[in-house]
Amino acid sequence: AQALGVSPYFDEIKGAPLHEESCSKEAVIRRLLTETGLRGQELCVCGDGKVEIRLGMEHDARTIGLASNEKARHGVDEVKRQRLVNAGADIIVGDFLEIETLLAFMGYKEA
């Protein structure tokens, strides 16, 4: 998030705990919900796989599907896009060039 320049838009960014390679995506999401008390649209799940998108949907989170075109290094990969559509992603992007669209989706308002 820091490398992409989007970390200032989040109160907190979580992933698997360090040195816990066996920690599942579901465990991370459940732990985040339990520890923070976030509910539904207060949580945004970003990912390139159907598992995290479905988990986000199960918890009424906002879901951003990342369908990066790795060969072109920009834009959307249509195969990945369709997989994320089938998983139920709320919005799908290939990269972070449309930052204003993503910020609006997440409900971020400039101060």
Side-chain angles (χ1 to χ4, degrees):
Q2 285 181 321
L4 295 170
V6 297
S7 59
Y9 301 109
F10 298 93
D11 293 331
E12 193 169 357
I13 299 171
K14 289 279 190 174
L18 290 175
H19 311 294
E20 281 192 44
E21 295 173 10
S22 64
C23 187
S24 71
K25 294 171 185 179
E26 183 172 12
V28 171
I29 291 171
R30 288 188 193 282
R31 184 182 297 171
L32 180 62
L33 292 169
T34 302
E35 290 176 0
T36 66
L38 292 173
R39 294 291 171 248
Q41 297 288 299
E42 296 173 319
L43 176 65
C44 181
V45 175
C46 304
D48 64 353
K50 60 185 179 183
V51 172
E52 58 267 31
I53 297 301
R54 286 187 181 147
L55 287 168
M57 299 294 288
E58 287 175 16
H59 294 284
D60 297 322
R62 297 171 193 213
T63 56
I64 299 174
L66 301 169
S68 303
N69 183 327
E70 295 169 23
K71 281 189 175 180
R73 295 194 168 191
H74 65 85
V76 173
D77 177 296
E78 286 302 318
V79 173
K80 292 179 185 178
R81 180 190 153 304
Q82 191 56 54
R83 190 176 314 132
L84 294 165
V85 165
N86 292 343
D90 292 316
I91 189 171
I92 297 173
V93 296
D95 50 47
F96 293 96
L97 295 176
E98 294 184 53
I99 191 71
E100 295 301 323
T101 301
L102 288 168
L103 293 175
F105 169 73
M106 292 187 301
Y108 180 80
K109 295 179 178 39
E110 293 280 342

